[in-house]
Amino acid sequence: MNLNQITLPVNNMVAATEFYLQLGFTQIVDTPHYARFCCPQGESTFSLALDNSDFSHGAVIYFESENLDAWVTHLQNKGIEFEQQPTDQSYLWREAILYDPSGNKIKLYWAGDNRLNPPWRVNKTAPATID
């Protein structure tokens, strides 16, 4: 099994699409109610779905880059505002926090080997799995 994408709700498709293009993603689907993007590295995608109702912002989306600090500086030079500058966290990730135009929380980060192999890693699996 592989996680391919996540879909975020947005209340302004034009503003949201422009925001994610400025972050450096490539748009591969463009409709008035749905947009999909490829990440610059790997094969992951994510999408935006227009939602005119009140929605909760409970999810946080993470985008990883080894060049985190340079990426943040580049985005700030484009006028993108951050709530938190790149900061080393106690869980061994370096993170910056920003919000898209619809209020979705985004963390740009670098974790290196600690993303999959933190010092406290465990290896639990379900008794039976389906591929």
mmCIF file with all atom_site columns, all heavy atoms in Angstrom, residues 33-44:
data_model
loop_
_atom_site.group_PDB
_atom_site.id
_atom_site.type_symbol
_atom_site.label_atom_id
_atom_site.label_alt_id
_atom_site.label_comp_id
_atom_site.label_asym_id
_atom_site.label_entity_id
_atom_site.label_seq_id
_atom_site.pdbx_PDB_ins_code
_atom_site.Cartn_x
_atom_site.Cartn_y
_atom_site.Cartn_z
_atom_site.occupancy
_atom_site.B_iso_or_equiv
_atom_site.pdbx_formal_charge
_atom_site.auth_seq_id
_atom_site.auth_comp_id
_atom_site.auth_asym_id
_atom_site.auth_atom_id
_atom_site.pdbx_PDB_model_num
ATOM 1  N N   . HIS A 1 33 ? -13.883 23.400 -9.889  1.00 0.00 ? 33 HIS A N   1
ATOM 2  C CA  . HIS A 1 33 ? -14.160 22.842 -8.564  1.00 0.00 ? 33 HIS A CA  1
ATOM 3  C C   . HIS A 1 33 ? -13.094 21.872 -8.048  1.00 0.00 ? 33 HIS A C   1
ATOM 4  O O   . HIS A 1 33 ? -13.179 21.398 -6.923  1.00 0.00 ? 33 HIS A O   1
ATOM 5  C CB  . HIS A 1 33 ? -15.521 22.140 -8.573  1.00 0.00 ? 33 HIS A CB  1
ATOM 6  C CG  . HIS A 1 33 ? -15.542 20.941 -9.474  1.00 0.00 ? 33 HIS A CG  1
ATOM 7  N ND1 . HIS A 1 33 ? -15.749 21.042 -10.827 1.00 0.00 ? 33 HIS A ND1 1
ATOM 8  C CD2 . HIS A 1 33 ? -15.357 19.630 -9.216  1.00 0.00 ? 33 HIS A CD2 1
ATOM 9  C CE1 . HIS A 1 33 ? -15.704 19.836 -11.360 1.00 0.00 ? 33 HIS A CE1 1
ATOM 10 N NE2 . HIS A 1 33 ? -15.460 18.963 -10.407 1.00 0.00 ? 33 HIS A NE2 1
ATOM 11 N N   . TYR A 1 34 ? -12.069 21.582 -8.854  1.00 0.00 ? 34 TYR A N   1
ATOM 12 C CA  . TYR A 1 34 ? -11.056 20.593 -8.463  1.00 0.00 ? 34 TYR A CA  1
ATOM 13 C C   . TYR A 1 34 ? -9.746  20.905 -9.162  1.00 0.00 ? 34 TYR A C   1
ATOM 14 O O   . TYR A 1 34 ? -9.716  21.206 -10.361 1.00 0.00 ? 34 TYR A O   1
ATOM 15 C CB  . TYR A 1 34 ? -11.530 19.190 -8.855  1.00 0.00 ? 34 TYR A CB  1
ATOM 16 C CG  . TYR A 1 34 ? -10.577 18.078 -8.498  1.00 0.00 ? 34 TYR A CG  1
ATOM 17 C CD1 . TYR A 1 34 ? -10.566 17.518 -7.223  1.00 0.00 ? 34 TYR A CD1 1
ATOM 18 C CD2 . TYR A 1 34 ? -9.678  17.577 -9.434  1.00 0.00 ? 34 TYR A CD2 1
ATOM 19 C CE1 . TYR A 1 34 ? -9.700  16.489 -6.897  1.00 0.00 ? 34 TYR A CE1 1
ATOM 20 C CE2 . TYR A 1 34 ? -8.808  16.548 -9.118  1.00 0.00 ? 34 TYR A CE2 1
ATOM 21 C CZ  . TYR A 1 34 ? -8.820  16.006 -7.851  1.00 0.00 ? 34 TYR A CZ  1
ATOM 22 O OH  . TYR A 1 34 ? -7.960  14.990 -7.518  1.00 0.00 ? 34 TYR A OH  1
ATOM 23 N N   . ALA A 1 35 ? -8.650  20.835 -8.415  1.00 0.00 ? 35 ALA A N   1
ATOM 24 C CA  . ALA A 1 35 ? -7.309  20.997 -8.976  1.00 0.00 ? 35 ALA A CA  1
ATOM 25 C C   . ALA A 1 35 ? -6.413  19.930 -8.375  1.00 0.00 ? 35 ALA A C   1
ATOM 26 O O   . ALA A 1 35 ? -6.560  19.568 -7.207  1.00 0.00 ? 35 ALA A O   1
ATOM 27 C CB  . ALA A 1 35 ? -6.754  22.384 -8.666  1.00 0.00 ? 35 ALA A CB  1
ATOM 28 N N   . ARG A 1 36 ? -5.498  19.421 -9.186  1.00 0.00 ? 36 ARG A N   1
ATOM 29 C CA  . ARG A 1 36 ? -4.570  18.414 -8.696  1.00 0.00 ? 36 ARG A CA  1
ATOM 30 C C   . ARG A 1 36 ? -3.162  18.822 -9.081  1.00 0.00 ? 36 ARG A C   1
ATOM 31 O O   . ARG A 1 36 ? -2.921  19.360 -10.165 1.00 0.00 ? 36 ARG A O   1
ATOM 32 C CB  . ARG A 1 36 ? -4.907  17.051 -9.288  1.00 0.00 ? 36 ARG A CB  1
ATOM 33 C CG  . ARG A 1 36 ? -4.152  15.911 -8.643  1.00 0.00 ? 36 ARG A CG  1
ATOM 34 C CD  . ARG A 1 36 ? -4.759  14.591 -9.034  1.00 0.00 ? 36 ARG A CD  1
ATOM 35 N NE  . ARG A 1 36 ? -4.025  13.513 -8.403  1.00 0.00 ? 36 ARG A NE  1
ATOM 36 C CZ  . ARG A 1 36 ? -4.201  12.246 -8.700  1.00 0.00 ? 36 ARG A CZ  1
ATOM 37 N NH1 . ARG A 1 36 ? -5.089  11.895 -9.601  1.00 0.00 ? 36 ARG A NH1 1
ATOM 38 N NH2 . ARG A 1 36 ? -3.487  11.329 -8.094  1.00 0.00 ? 36 ARG A NH2 1
ATOM 39 N N   . PHE A 1 37 ? -2.213  18.525 -8.167  1.00 0.00 ? 37 PHE A N   1
ATOM 40 C CA  . PHE A 1 37 ? -0.822  18.939 -8.324  1.00 0.00 ? 37 PHE A CA  1
ATOM 41 C C   . PHE A 1 37 ? 0.122   17.758 -8.121  1.00 0.00 ? 37 PHE A C   1
ATOM 42 O O   . PHE A 1 37 ? -0.148  16.869 -7.323  1.00 0.00 ? 37 PHE A O   1
ATOM 43 C CB  . PHE A 1 37 ? -0.467  19.999 -7.276  1.00 0.00 ? 37 PHE A CB  1
ATOM 44 C CG  . PHE A 1 37 ? -1.282  21.243 -7.386  1.00 0.00 ? 37 PHE A CG  1
ATOM 45 C CD1 . PHE A 1 37 ? -2.530  21.327 -6.798  1.00 0.00 ? 37 PHE A CD1 1
ATOM 46 C CD2 . PHE A 1 37 ? -0.805  22.341 -8.084  1.00 0.00 ? 37 PHE A CD2 1
ATOM 47 C CE1 . PHE A 1 37 ? -3.301  22.482 -6.895  1.00 0.00 ? 37 PHE A CE1 1
ATOM 48 C CE2 . PHE A 1 37 ? -1.557  23.497 -8.192  1.00 0.00 ? 37 PHE A CE2 1
ATOM 49 C CZ  . PHE A 1 37 ? -2.812  23.563 -7.589  1.00 0.00 ? 37 PHE A CZ  1
ATOM 50 N N   . CYS A 1 38 ? 1.251   17.803 -8.840  1.00 0.00 ? 38 CYS A N   1
ATOM 51 C CA  . CYS A 1 38 ? 2.365   16.871 -8.625  1.00 0.00 ? 38 CYS A CA  1
ATOM 52 C C   . CYS A 1 38 ? 3.413   17.572 -7.775  1.00 0.00 ? 38 CYS A C   1
ATOM 53 O O   . CYS A 1 38 ? 3.672   18.767 -7.958  1.00 0.00 ? 38 CYS A O   1
ATOM 54 C CB  . CYS A 1 38 ? 3.026   16.494 -9.948  1.00 0.00 ? 38 CYS A CB  1
ATOM 55 S SG  . CYS A 1 38 ? 2.123   15.349 -10.947 1.00 0.00 ? 38 CYS A SG  1
ATOM 56 N N   . CYS A 1 39 ? 4.027   16.817 -6.908  1.00 0.00 ? 39 CYS A N   1
ATOM 57 C CA  . CYS A 1 39 ? 5.149   17.347 -6.142  1.00 0.00 ? 39 CYS A CA  1
ATOM 58 C C   . CYS A 1 39 ? 6.382   17.379 -7.046  1.00 0.00 ? 39 CYS A C   1
ATOM 59 O O   . CYS A 1 39 ? 6.513   16.552 -7.951  1.00 0.00 ? 39 CYS A O   1
ATOM 60 C CB  . CYS A 1 39 ? 5.402   16.485 -4.918  1.00 0.00 ? 39 CYS A CB  1
ATOM 61 S SG  . CYS A 1 39 ? 4.049   16.553 -3.725  1.00 0.00 ? 39 CYS A SG  1
ATOM 62 N N   . PRO A 1 40 ? 7.310   18.327 -6.814  1.00 0.00 ? 40 PRO A N   1
ATOM 63 C CA  . PRO A 1 40 ? 8.498   18.438 -7.670  1.00 0.00 ? 40 PRO A CA  1
ATOM 64 C C   . PRO A 1 40 ? 9.391   17.204 -7.651  1.00 0.00 ? 40 PRO A C   1
ATOM 65 O O   . PRO A 1 40 ? 10.107  16.951 -8.598  1.00 0.00 ? 40 PRO A O   1
ATOM 66 C CB  . PRO A 1 40 ? 9.244   19.641 -7.108  1.00 0.00 ? 40 PRO A CB  1
ATOM 67 C CG  . PRO A 1 40 ? 8.249   20.401 -6.328  1.00 0.00 ? 40 PRO A CG  1
ATOM 68 C CD  . PRO A 1 40 ? 7.248   19.404 -5.837  1.00 0.00 ? 40 PRO A CD  1
ATOM 69 N N   . GLN A 1 41 ? 9.354   16.445 -6.576  1.00 0.00 ? 41 GLN A N   1
ATOM 70 C CA  . GLN A 1 41 ? 10.165  15.228 -6.468  1.00 0.00 ? 41 GLN A CA  1
ATOM 71 C C   . GLN A 1 41 ? 9.250   14.066 -6.113  1.00 0.00 ? 41 GLN A C   1
ATOM 72 O O   . GLN A 1 41 ? 8.246   14.232 -5.425  1.00 0.00 ? 41 GLN A O   1
ATOM 73 C CB  . GLN A 1 41 ? 11.222  15.371 -5.381  1.00 0.00 ? 41 GLN A CB  1
ATOM 74 C CG  . GLN A 1 41 ? 12.225  16.465 -5.664  1.00 0.00 ? 41 GLN A CG  1
ATOM 75 C CD  . GLN A 1 41 ? 13.158  16.676 -4.492  1.00 0.00 ? 41 GLN A CD  1
ATOM 76 O OE1 . GLN A 1 41 ? 12.794  16.494 -3.343  1.00 0.00 ? 41 GLN A OE1 1
ATOM 77 N NE2 . GLN A 1 41 ? 14.375  17.102 -4.790  1.00 0.00 ? 41 GLN A NE2 1
ATOM 78 N N   . GLY A 1 42 ? 9.573   12.885 -6.558  1.00 0.00 ? 42 GLY A N   1
ATOM 79 C CA  . GLY A 1 42 ? 8.783   11.702 -6.262  1.00 0.00 ? 42 GLY A CA  1
ATOM 80 C C   . GLY A 1 42 ? 7.527   11.653 -7.121  1.00 0.00 ? 42 GLY A C   1
ATOM 81 O O   . GLY A 1 42 ? 7.408   12.363 -8.120  1.00 0.00 ? 42 GLY A O   1
ATOM 82 N N   . GLU A 1 43 ? 6.597   10.826 -6.723  1.00 0.00 ? 43 GLU A N   1
ATOM 83 C CA  . GLU A 1 43 ? 5.376   10.635 -7.502  1.00 0.00 ? 43 GLU A CA  1
ATOM 84 C C   . GLU A 1 43 ? 4.122   11.016 -6.738  1.00 0.00 ? 43 GLU A C   1
ATOM 85 O O   . GLU A 1 43 ? 3.011   10.720 -7.176  1.00 0.00 ? 43 GLU A O   1
ATOM 86 C CB  . GLU A 1 43 ? 5.294   9.178  -7.958  1.00 0.00 ? 43 GLU A CB  1
ATOM 87 C CG  . GLU A 1 43 ? 6.435   8.787  -8.896  1.00 0.00 ? 43 GLU A CG  1
ATOM 88 C CD  . GLU A 1 43 ? 6.348   7.360  -9.364  1.00 0.00 ? 43 GLU A CD  1
ATOM 89 O OE1 . GLU A 1 43 ? 5.397   6.642  -8.983  1.00 0.00 ? 43 GLU A OE1 1
ATOM 90 O OE2 . GLU A 1 43 ? 7.243   6.944  -10.117 1.00 0.00 ? 43 GLU A OE2 1
ATOM 91 N N   . SER A 1 44 ? 4.248   11.673 -5.603  1.00 0.00 ? 44 SER A N   1
ATOM 92 C CA  . SER A 1 44 ? 3.084   12.050 -4.809  1.00 0.00 ? 44 SER A CA  1
ATOM 93 C C   . SER A 1 44 ? 2.313   13.179 -5.463  1.00 0.00 ? 44 SER A C   1
ATOM 94 O O   . SER A 1 44 ? 2.884   14.034 -6.146  1.00 0.00 ? 44 SER A O   1
ATOM 95 C CB  . SER A 1 44 ? 3.504   12.501 -3.406  1.00 0.00 ? 44 SER A CB  1
ATOM 96 O OG  . SER A 1 44 ? 4.093   11.436 -2.714  1.00 0.00 ? 44 SER A OG  1
#
